[in-house]
Amino acid sequence: MFGKRYTEQLIERSAENATDRRRFLKAAGAAGLGVAGAGALGTALSLGLGSAGATSQYGAQGGDKAKEAASDAAVLNFALNLEYLEANLYSFAVSGYGLNEKYVNGIGNLGKVSGGHAVKFKSEHTKQIVQEIAGDEVAHVTFLRKALDKAAVAQPEIDFQNSFTAAMQAAGVIQKGQTFDPFASENNFLLAAFLFEDVGVSAYKGAAPLVNNKTFLDAAAGILAVEAYHAGIVRSQLFERGLGDITNKISDARDSLDGKADDDEGVLKDGKANLVPADANGIAFGRSADRVLNIAYLNPDKVTSGGFYPRGLNGEIATSGAKEK
């Protein structure tokens, strides 16, 4: 996919120091150019995303830190925290278990995953879709861990059952007192995947303006395309199944968490298909890291834990955005 010299140049430019460069090169060599192309280029985009979130968090502490961007390790670990969630979500759906224990140890508090189990797929077509995406997400985790080496954070505690129930109650998908099991059916799982896939695309889009290096920007376009493929597949499945009204409720709930902007969109608009959530110019919107965490924590306020991460993320980038007045 990418030439060896191209990959080496990208690694050299993205790494903060010689140690980081060696760590990246080691991971690229171990994983092969195909994975290095996807993993390293994805982290280049996440560099911008992490910096946005980190600046907001540091600013609250005052001093010169308000002007600092996150280190490469901090940014990669932020991405790793998010990948732990997605990899477990899809892995449970297709296999009945989460990540292998050898892929979850690291710095910080090692947490378990609650609420996961296999989905009883009725459609072989849908099962193959979920299996393919699961493979992508697990590959992201393994690459990031190799790139970070001993600096990799551990998997934080992840809650699927209580968090999805809270999210779906807030969205009006289920009533108070009811529960939502994301693995109970194909429809439930696709709705759960929709909640996160769209957030992932907006996160990469939010990073794009922060990427000044043309090599990074070119790489970011490739990674964003892959994330958009995932989101588009899930949105198409939900539209075909007649679940557009429910996706609109979930979209409104996400919008209520991440600030004043009303950019988020479900898969129906004016009763018709809205598979590509873009503005009048055909451009997708973006979210900064702290706004991504508002959704992950299911809280519009500035907090460090909650929702899908009951004890927060491991690493430096772990604070959601403050409520806008």
Side-chain angles (χ1 to χ4, degrees):
M1 181 177 177
F2 297 99
K4 182 177 181 181
R5 183 53 189 158
Y6 179 91
T7 303
E8 290 176 346
Q9 289 174 343
L10 177 66
I11 292 168
E12 290 169 359
R13 293 172 185 175
S14 66
E16 186 173 291
N17 53 46
T19 301
D20 285 341
R21 285 194 291 272
R22 287 193 297 272
R23 185 177 295 137
F24 268 87
L25 287 167
K26 179 180 179 182
L33 281 177
V35 176
L41 300 183
T43 57
L45 176 57
S46 296
L47 181 62
L49 169 65
S51 297
T55 299
S56 173
Q57 293 166 39
Y58 291 150
Q61 298 175 15
D64 293 335
K65 283 190 174 182
K67 299 179 181 179
E68 293 179 7
S71 68
D72 283 350
V75 174
L76 292 176
N77 274 319
F78 174 74
L80 180 57
N81 276 280
L82 301 180
E83 294 294 351
Y84 279 137
L85 188 153
E86 289 196 306
N88 276 292
L89 181 69
Y90 282 95
S91 293
F92 268 110
V94 298
S95 66
Y97 51 84
L99 289 170
N100 188 290
E101 61 180 11
K102 68 180 180 180
Y103 297 132
V104 298
N105 291 314
I107 298 172
N109 297 317
L110 175 60
K112 296 182 178 180
V113 180
S114 59
H117 60 85
V119 175
K120 294 182 179 179
F121 290 97
K122 295 182 178 181
S123 166
E124 179 63 25
H125 175 77
T126 302
K127 183 178 181 179
Q128 288 185 30
I129 288 173
V130 176
Q131 286 176 328
E132 181 176 0
I133 297 176
D136 292 340
E137 301 300 350
V138 173
H140 291 162
V141 169
T142 56
F143 177 81
L144 287 171
R145 287 178 58 84
K146 288 175 182 177
L148 285 158
D149 197 23
K150 294 181 180 179
V153 294
Q155 172 184 280
E157 182 176 334
I158 297 172
D159 180 351
F160 288 137
Q161 186 61 64
N162 294 321
S163 56
F164 273 114
T165 291
M168 295 305 179
Q169 284 182 0
V173 176
I174 59 175
Q175 301 300 313
K176 186 176 181 180
Q178 294 181 315
T179 59
F180 183 91
D181 180 356
F183 305 95
S185 67
E186 290 179 350
N187 285 354
N188 275 22
F189 183 78
L190 289 169
L191 288 168
F194 168 77
L195 195 159
F196 281 109
E197 289 295 352
D198 274 26
V199 173
V201 173
S202 64
Y204 280 107
K205 170 60 171 61
L210 304 174
V211 181
N212 295 315
N213 185 288
K214 290 185 178 180
T215 303
F216 286 174
L217 196 57
D218 181 65
I223 296 300
L224 177 56
V226 172
E227 295 298 332
Y229 276 131
H230 289 176
I233 290 169
V234 171
R235 292 174 74 94
S236 295
Q237 283 275 306
L238 290 166
F239 176 72
E240 292 173 1
R241 290 165 180 258
L243 299 173
D245 287 337
I246 297 179
T247 68
N248 286 6
K249 291 181 179 180
I250 296 173
S251 172
D252 289 341
R254 289 190 303 221
D255 245 338
S256 71
L257 292 169
D258 68 348
K260 290 184 178 180
D262 186 20
D263 296 321
D264 206 303
E265 298 179 357
V267 304
L268 282 182
K269 181 180 286 187
D270 300 325
K272 297 183 179 181
N274 184 46
L275 302 183
V276 183
D279 65 15
N281 296 314
I283 299 174
F285 75 100
R287 287 186 177 94
S288 59
D290 54 351
R291 292 308 179 185
V292 170
L293 289 177
N294 281 123
I295 297 173
Y297 292 157
L298 298 178
N299 196 320
D301 295 321
K302 183 177 181 179
V303 296
T304 57
S305 64
F308 293 90
Y309 297 96
R311 297 186 181 182
L313 272 62
N314 286 319
E316 296 178 29
I317 302 174
T319 305
S320 59
K323 183 182 294 184
E324 296 179 347
K325 297 182 181 179

